[in-house]
Amino acid sequence: MKNDTQAVTRVLTAHVPLPIADKVDQIAARLERSRGWIMKQALSAWIAQEEERDRLTQEALADVDAGRVIDHQAVQAWADSLGTDKLLPVPR
């Protein structure tokens, strides 16, 4: 597997509000890294977050398809009991 310095790359462009661009420059200077390195780290983290969000969504949809759901009224009753003397058990 190639390391990052040998990887095939493609330039992506985006119009970024000046306050965000300034923060990227400040972080790059503080970390003694290039603006491109900072942007690659940020984009990689966002992609990982979105992939995890999609995985969790697919998992939740599979639970619904399999009938593994909790009745809305049960959840509402439990939520309404929070902070009261008659706390209901967490619905399962």
Side-chain angles (χ1 to χ4, degrees), residues 28-61:
R30 180 171 47 86
L31 296 178
E32 298 180 355
R33 295 288 191 159
S34 69
R35 182 186 296 146
W37 186 89
I38 299 297
M39 296 302 296
K40 186 168 67 170
Q41 296 299 308
L43 189 55
S44 294
W46 179 78
I47 288 170
Q49 175 185 320
E50 288 304 309
E51 288 175 339
E52 178 65 2
R53 185 187 325 256
D54 182 62
R55 185 191 69 75
L56 291 170
T57 299
Q58 297 306 317
E59 186 178 295
L61 290 172

